[in-house]
Amino acid sequence: MEKITSRTADQIKPLLDAMLKQLIEPQQRPFYETATRTEWSIAFQEWVDSHRTLNLPTLSDEAISRESIYGDRD
């Protein structure tokens, strides 16, 4: 990684401008802080739908049963 002192002013200026912009502009609050239940539901469904094209195999009922997950726990 290059040290900042070995960079030219033209290389450093965009980095400094970006840092100043982050400090000056109000930060957006994260989705999880502002989303309504409906927005969460829509976002989750979009996430699920985005994985449908992966054609991943589904697990059988046996594979996700309590007994197969925990085995012979006492």
Side-chain angles (χ1 to χ4, degrees), residues 1 10 16 18-21 25 27 29 38 40-41 43 45 47-48 52-53 60 62 64 66-68 71-74:
M1 189 167 141
D10 288 339
L16 291 176
M19 290 182 350
L20 286 171
K21 184 178 178 181
E25 291 182 0
Q27 299 295 313
R29 291 175 52 200
T38 302
W40 269 108
S41 180
Q45 190 59 53
W47 178 82
V48 169
R52 290 193 195 282
T53 59
S60 67
E62 173 60 29
I64 60 172
R66 182 175 190 81
E67 293 79 20
S68 70
D72 294 329
R73 290 182 73 186
D74 293 323

Side-chain angles (χ1 to χ4, degrees), residues 3-56:
K3 293 186 176 192
I4 197 162
T5 55
S6 65
R7 295 184 180 195
T8 66
D10 288 339
Q11 292 172 320
I12 295 172
K13 186 172 182 340
L15 300 172
L16 291 176
D17 288 343
M19 290 182 350
L20 286 171
K21 184 178 178 181
Q22 285 181 334
L23 290 172
I24 294 170
E25 291 182 0
Q27 299 295 313
Q28 282 189 332
R29 291 175 52 200
F31 177 80
Y32 67 86
E33 286 184 0
T34 61
T36 64
R37 287 179 181 222
T38 302
E39 290 169 330
W40 269 108
S41 180
I42 291 168
F44 179 72
Q45 190 59 53
E46 288 173 352
W47 178 82
V48 169
D49 292 340
S50 74
H51 289 73
R52 290 193 195 282
T53 59
L54 299 176
N55 294 323
L56 299 171

